Amino acid sequence: MSNTALLLIDFQNDYYSTYADAKWALSGTETAASNAATLLAAFRKQSLPVIHVRHEFPSNDAPFFLPESEGAKIHTSVAPIKGEPVILKHQINSFRDTELNNILKELNVEKLIIVGAMSHMCIDAVTRAAVDFGYECHVAHDACATLDLEFNGVTVPAIHVHSAFMAALNFGYCNVDSTDKLLDLVR
């Protein structure tokens, strides 16, 4: 079990509908964060590695996650504690131009449980990249969130966006399961 890490991606204030100044509220962030907090507590109890990732855009012209803003801070519901690395990224893929892979190697991590946002962007990208780096990946589908998307005049509801991306990841990249089932990996 000591070779398994929890990777929390972009649980930042701007994604929470309950955060008064949210710039990009997602559908179900609070529920996803609650499930992520359950996994986080289990990892902490077992003294297993936990890595937080947060996104900041490099410019104030961005629609959300502005540099050094309150909206770009990790939400208190899953906030890091002393000793838990926090990776700052400026790209969709958490491995790109960051120390994430080096930190995972230093911790002798072989398996990842991945949670966070957005399902169709950063969760998809980090999972695919992690598999390409040789990590065994597990995504807690009920600890991830996204939003409605529009393409070619068609609005795709968040639940359908989320389900499509979870189905694709589960098909060929990783195990996608519930928080409760993935807790078995850390008990």
Side-chain angles (χ1 to χ4, degrees):
M1 281 194 330
S2 63
N3 67 349
T4 303
L6 178 63
L7 193 55
L8 297 108
I9 307 292
D10 299 350
F11 276 117
Q12 294 166 251
N13 291 329
D14 275 343
Y15 279 166
Y16 284 71
S17 62
T18 53
Y19 175 67
D21 295 323
K23 295 188 180 307
W24 205 261
L26 305 182
S27 175
T29 306
E30 289 77 7
T31 300
S34 177
N35 288 322
T38 299
L39 284 163
L40 181 58
F43 269 77
R44 287 174 176 165
K45 182 177 180 182
Q46 297 291 327
S47 298
L48 293 172
V50 172
I51 297 116
H52 302 263
V53 177
R54 67 182 204 83
H55 193 146
E56 277 188 11
F57 287 99
S59 158
N60 282 321
D61 294 333
F64 56 98
F65 296 163
L66 303 179
E68 301 180 31
S69 68
E70 286 298 312
K73 289 185 178 176
I74 294 174
H75 193 269
T76 57
S77 62
V78 289
I81 59 173
K82 185 178 179 180
E84 293 175 351
V86 178
I87 305 291
L88 176 64
K89 67 178 176 121
H90 302 292
Q91 306 290 335
I92 294 167
N93 178 350
S94 299
F95 286 96
R96 185 174 171 193
D97 301 327
T98 73
E99 290 297 311
L100 179 57
N101 198 34
N102 291 337
I103 290 170
L104 293 172
K105 287 183 183 303
E106 288 171 12
L107 295 169
N108 296 313
V109 170
E110 296 174 7
K111 299 177 188 174
L112 294 170
I113 295 181
I114 300 167
V115 298
M118 293 186 282
S119 305
H120 71 285
M121 293 296 288
C122 299
I123 298 303
D124 183 64
V126 75
T127 303
R128 290 170 187 260
V131 170
D132 289 345
F133 279 120
Y135 297 100
E136 177 185 315
C137 293
H138 303 267
V139 174
H141 65 80
D142 55 358
C144 296
T146 195
L147 73 169
D148 294 354
L149 293 179
E150 186 275 329
F151 179 73
N152 204 23
V154 175
T155 298
V156 183
I159 187 67
H160 295 167
V161 172
H162 177 76
S163 295
F165 275 82
M166 293 299 109
L169 287 174
N170 194 57
F171 178 77
Y173 274 90
C174 68
N175 171 48
V176 177
D177 219 328
S178 68
T179 294
D180 286 342
K181 292 263 175 90
L182 293 177
L183 279 170
D184 291 339
L185 294 177
V186 294
R187 289 186 178 146

